[in-house]
Amino acid sequence: MSPEPGPRRSHVITVEPALTQLSKLTEGETHRLDRAIVAISVNPELGTEVPGTLLRDYTDEIDGVRVIYFVTALKTITIVAYIEA
C-alpha cells in the first residue's frame, strides 16, 4: 500500500519588491526565510489578516522572519509582497 501523500502546497511567487529585499539577505537569513515560506506554502492561513486588505502578515519570532503575502481565491498560489529576515 502506498503512503498517504503530504499536504498540498500552494505555489509561492515573489514579486519585485520582495525579490529586491531577498537579494540583500545573507545565506543564513535566506535559509531562515525559506523555512517560513515552506510553512506558509503548506498552510497559507498561518499569518494574521491585515485589516481592510487581502494581505496576511506572518512573523516567526524564533527565526526572526516576517513575510507579508496574499493567497489566491483557490489557495493554490501564494504571492509574497514583503520580507524581513
Side-chain angles (χ1 to χ4, degrees):
M1 183 173 204
S2 298
E4 290 293 316
R8 182 183 168 129
R9 289 180 169 181
S10 68
H11 179 74
V12 177
I13 297 172
T14 308
V15 296
E16 183 57 40
L19 284 173
T20 300
Q21 293 163 316
L22 183 60
S23 70
K24 297 176 184 176
L25 299 180
T26 66
E27 185 176 327
E29 291 169 333
T30 302
H31 179 70
R32 293 191 333 255
L33 178 64
D34 284 345
R35 293 194 317 202
I37 290 191
V38 166
I40 290 168
S41 74
V42 172
N43 182 2
E45 295 181 8
L46 275 180
T48 57
E49 293 180 14
V50 176
T53 72
L54 298 175
L55 297 172
R56 300 189 71 81
D57 189 343
Y58 172 71
T59 302
D60 181 328
E61 298 292 338
I62 295 170
D63 278 337
V65 173
R66 181 178 181 209
V67 180
I68 297 178
Y69 63 98
F70 63 96
V71 183
T72 59
L74 297 177
K75 298 186 179 179
T76 58
I77 299 175
T78 300
I79 301 168
V80 175
Y82 175 83
I83 56 174
E84 281 179 14

